[in-house]
Amino acid sequence: MFRVQNLFALSSVAFLAFGFVLSKVPGAAGITLAISGHRGYGIASQTPLYLIGTLFGLFAFFYSIGYLSFNQTMAHWHFALSVLGVLLIIIGWALFPNANINLIVASIAVGLLFFLSAQLWFAFDITRAVVHLLGS
């Protein structure tokens, strides 16, 4: 089985590469915002991918230097729930122009649930690790 550091690093590269490819697609301009009848672009389509890729890269770094010392099971669950959540959010976002609104909302809501539950579990485990470190 892959080490969690490698999984986070590979997914970071994948998200950054997908963001780069998406920046070259002519029809992927960004999120259109309409404020007082004026139209503008809030963020480019690739920006969330760059952000998620950077966060996954940071997790890979912290896992590799031993700063986040969790057991392998927790680390793999953290990775799996994070990636699954992000992919469901991306699917919901990609379906936005052409799909049923219920499908879009369900995909984004379930994706956020998975991603946030992984981060909540991570926060509890890092608090436990810090308390254990301070108690030693």
Side-chain angles (χ1 to χ4, degrees):
M1 180 164 249
F2 288 112
R3 291 180 14 187
V4 74
Q5 299 91 324
N6 297 342
L7 293 173
F8 270 106
L10 289 173
S11 61
S12 173
V13 169
F15 283 125
L16 292 173
F18 185 58
F20 178 73
V21 168
L22 190 60
S23 71
K24 302 301 179 191
V25 174
I31 299 172
T32 304
L33 300 175
I35 301 171
S36 301
H38 300 286
R39 291 182 63 167
Y41 292 103
I43 59 172
S45 296
Q46 68 271 17
T47 304
L49 294 171
Y50 293 156
L51 176 67
I52 295 296
T54 303
L55 288 174
F56 274 58
L58 286 172
F59 277 113
F61 172 72
F62 287 133
Y63 275 122
S64 67
I65 64 171
Y67 186 72
L68 301 174
S69 58
F70 302 122
N71 63 24
Q72 284 296 101
T73 304
M74 190 280 173
H76 280 98
W77 273 101
H78 179 228
F79 170 76
L81 288 175
S82 297
V83 168
L84 183 61
V86 168
L87 289 177
L88 284 172
I89 292 168
I90 290 172
I91 289 170
W93 189 3
L95 292 174
F96 186 70
N98 303 322
N100 182 344
I101 192 71
N102 293 334
L103 181 62
I104 296 165
V105 169
S107 177
I108 292 175
V110 171
L112 281 173
L113 178 69
F114 281 166
F115 186 76
L116 293 176
S117 66
Q119 305 322 309
L120 184 65
W121 186 9
F122 174 74
F124 280 124
D125 212 32
I126 200 165
T127 303
R128 182 200 52 79
V130 167
V131 167
H132 178 69
L133 181 68
L134 293 176
S136 299

